[in-house]
Amino acid sequence: MSTQGLVVDRGLEGVVVGHTGLSNVEGAVGRLTYRGYDIDDLAPNATFEEIVHLLLYGHLPVAAELDRLKRELGSRRSLPEPLVNAMQNVPKTAWPMDVLRTIISGLSLFSPVNSHGEHLSDVHTAIELIAKMPSIVAAWDRIRRGLDPVEPRADLSQAGNFLYMRAGKLPHQIEEQALDTYFVLLADHSYNASTFAARVAASTRADVYASVTAALATLQGDLHGGAASAAHATLVEVGSPANAEKYVRDALGRGERIMGMGHREYKVRDPRARHLEAMARKLSEHVGNSHTYETARALEEASRKVLQEKKPDNTIYANVDFYTAPVLSDLGIPGDEFTCLFACGRVAGWTAHILEQLADNRLIRPQATYDGPIPGPYVPIERRSANGVRS
Ligand code: COA
């Protein structure tokens, strides 16, 4: 649509709003790269800590750099006691994303400020947020189950420590590896909605805590990161592979969407879905129950079949959130926590984007076309009508 010479692209589709050297999404061919490394190479080989280094410092670390980063992450995992106490006073029914967003914002209350009273927005604040996010999710997981939170361990990986803090015991190596790869796959994705929100906030010179809080708020909707939890709810509702096709036909018949399917950028299957599907299969063998994995497979097949019947050239394929559901579910994580786990991976990308924005900042302030009433005089209250019609 074009008004007064301005072009309006609903949802900013196809609009280039900035540049980044962090990641590249090639939607037509289904390729995702972080600083030039293909996730097909990274997912089976790199750890999340290596990706954090790649994104924040610009290169894959040598051994000494990786050790230093791991030590810093490990030393920053503990939460301020008043925030743990605050979580203990939250209603146990509170949604995990609400708790995470609130406590992340609350961290700024306990962070150092410079002589102007401003929080530091540097790489160490970024590492602090990456380190603490899983601690918050794990602490709330236990508190809402009526259990005491477990202190983090500095010697574990980000993934291993989360699973340890949640369960109170060390995870199996397969479980730690699965969550680590999940974090690798989720770490960055160019100017997705939450990352863009983080960059908009940072462009006003809001600090890293505020910018990450904006990103978390934007992640939670089910058209974005909330789709992971929604995809899990769908799997539960479908119940078994035999019900998948009927579920899809009924849902599409009601005009609903299949959660975890479709993507603004990818017009082929999301490259992350392949790795997550393989991981879901491996985990299902590990837990000795392939029911959730098989149901997800059947749901994907049925979705493709029915969507193609409706429109043979449709480009709605499984996205990253689709196989997140069986992976996190087989790790024993409850479905309403999935979006928080997404955030624990994506916080690496958010903070790297915030620092990239600050390094070459200009306020992000787009335009809109105006389609409200034509200008008119102020109407005194005694001359107004209840329905707003101007006399
Ligand atoms: N199930 C069924 N139909 C879908 C669909 C889905 N998951 N995703 C998109 N469509 C359909 C829409 O109904 C629309 O059909 P229409 O043209 O007949 O009205 C068409 O595809 C385009 O949808 P639109 O919302 O304009 O595309 P988009 O680029 O804005 O959508 C998403 C991208 C991700 C928001 C969308 O695919 C979606 O809602 N997916 C489900 C939620 C999800 O998994 N989100 C996580 C993304 S990583």
Side-chain angles (χ1 to χ4, degrees):
M1 181 170 77
S2 176
T3 316
Q4 296 162 351
L6 293 175
V7 176
V8 180
D9 287 281
R10 285 185 74 236
L12 294 181
E13 183 163 5
V15 177
V16 176
V17 293
H19 57 86
T20 180
L22 292 166
S23 62
N24 193 26
V25 179
E26 292 169 79
V29 293
R31 186 160 62 175
L32 169 62
T33 47
Y34 298 161
R35 291 198 189 272
Y37 295 100
D38 197 314
I39 55 133
D40 284 350
D41 266 350
L42 296 173
N45 295 309
T47 62
F48 180 59
E49 285 75 8
E50 287 177 272
I51 301 303
V52 170
H53 196 285
L54 175 66
L55 292 172
L56 290 182
Y57 291 102
H59 61 274
L60 285 171
V62 297
E65 289 171 325
L66 185 58
D67 272 357
R68 197 159 50 236
L69 175 63
K70 283 182 178 171
R71 274 202 304 278
E72 184 169 356
L73 282 165
S75 69
R76 289 178 181 267
R77 286 188 180 131
S78 287
L79 301 174
E81 210 182 311
L83 291 181
V84 178
N85 293 341
M87 280 194 267
Q88 261 149 348
N89 287 303
V90 163
K92 302 277 183 285
T93 50
W95 192 36
M97 270 302 275
D98 283 341
V99 176
L100 177 60
R101 191 187 62 247
T102 305
I103 301 298
I104 282 288
S105 180
L107 283 177
S108 65
L109 306 173
F110 301 89
S111 81
V113 290
N114 65 18
S115 55
H116 304 293
E118 296 160 347
H119 297 297
L120 306 177
S121 286
D122 59 8
V123 73
H124 301 291
T125 319
I127 293 170
E128 170 103 14
L129 282 163
I130 296 167
K132 285 188 167 42
M133 201 170 275
S135 303
I136 298 169
V137 182
W140 176 243
D141 181 297
R142 289 183 70 85
I143 290 170
R144 71 172 170 158
R145 285 188 282 147
L147 302 171
D148 284 332
V150 168
E151 274 301 308
R153 272 186 41 178
D155 58 327
L156 300 176
S157 67
Q158 282 291 105
N161 180 62
F162 169 78
L163 294 170
Y164 165 74
M165 283 184 74
R166 191 182 165 269
K169 62 180 173 58
L170 287 172
H172 190 285
Q173 195 206 351
I174 289 181
E175 295 164 352
E176 178 178 357
Q177 230 169 38
L179 189 61
D180 183 66
T181 307
Y182 172 75
F183 287 160
V184 167
L185 291 168
L186 270 288
D188 196 31
H189 210 237
S190 190
Y191 274 50
N192 60 91
S194 56
T195 300
F196 185 49
R199 290 193 79 128
V200 171
S203 84
T204 71
R205 296 197 201 154
D207 60 44
V208 179
Y209 297 94
S211 303
V212 168
T213 305
L216 277 167
T218 312
L219 184 74
Q220 78 181 41
D222 68 5
L223 296 188
H224 189 14
S229 292
H232 177 258
T234 301
L235 279 186
V236 172
E237 195 180 335
V238 171
S240 80
N243 300 336
E245 188 167 331
K246 179 173 173 0
Y247 173 89
V248 172
R249 288 190 190 284
D250 289 353
L252 294 181
R254 291 190 299 268
E256 293 171 8
R257 294 179 178 210
I258 310 300
M259 289 294 133
M261 298 289 294
H263 200 277
R264 174 64 67 78
E265 295 296 319
Y266 294 119
K267 300 307 168 201
V268 294
R269 200 175 189 231
D270 185 328
R272 300 164 296 179
R274 185 163 59 82
H275 296 283
L276 287 169
E277 188 201 334
M279 197 192 296
R281 187 170 28 77
K282 195 168 161 188
L283 272 175
S284 73
E285 285 159 13
H286 169 66
V287 298
N289 182 350
S290 63
H291 186 78
T292 314
Y293 168 69
E294 296 297 349
T295 307
R297 284 280 311 134
L299 185 65
E300 184 188 10
E301 266 173 39
S303 301
R304 286 296 307 148
K305 179 179 166 194
V306 178
L307 285 162
Q308 259 179 323
E309 277 171 20
K310 286 181 176 293
K311 199 173 160 204
D313 62 345
N314 90 82
T315 53
I316 300 168
Y317 291 88
N319 62 47
V320 68
D321 293 314
F322 195 87
Y323 284 100
T324 290
V327 166
L328 296 186
S329 170
D330 279 345
L331 287 174
I333 298 165
D336 64 354
E337 247 170 69
F338 289 4
T339 311
C340 300
L341 269 294
F342 185 144
C344 290
R346 185 57 55 84
V347 65
W350 289 336
T351 50
H353 275 270
I354 291 164
L355 297 179
E356 189 183 56
Q357 179 69 35
L358 293 176
D360 180 24
N361 189 42
R362 186 156 191 245
L363 176 72
I364 298 174
R365 203 303 186 187
Q367 280 184 301
T369 56
Y370 176 72
D371 58 6
I374 55 166
Y378 172 77
V379 184
I381 194 162
E382 63 279 6
R383 286 184 39 217
R384 291 176 206 159
S385 56
N387 62 8
V389 175
R390 300 179 197 186
S391 56

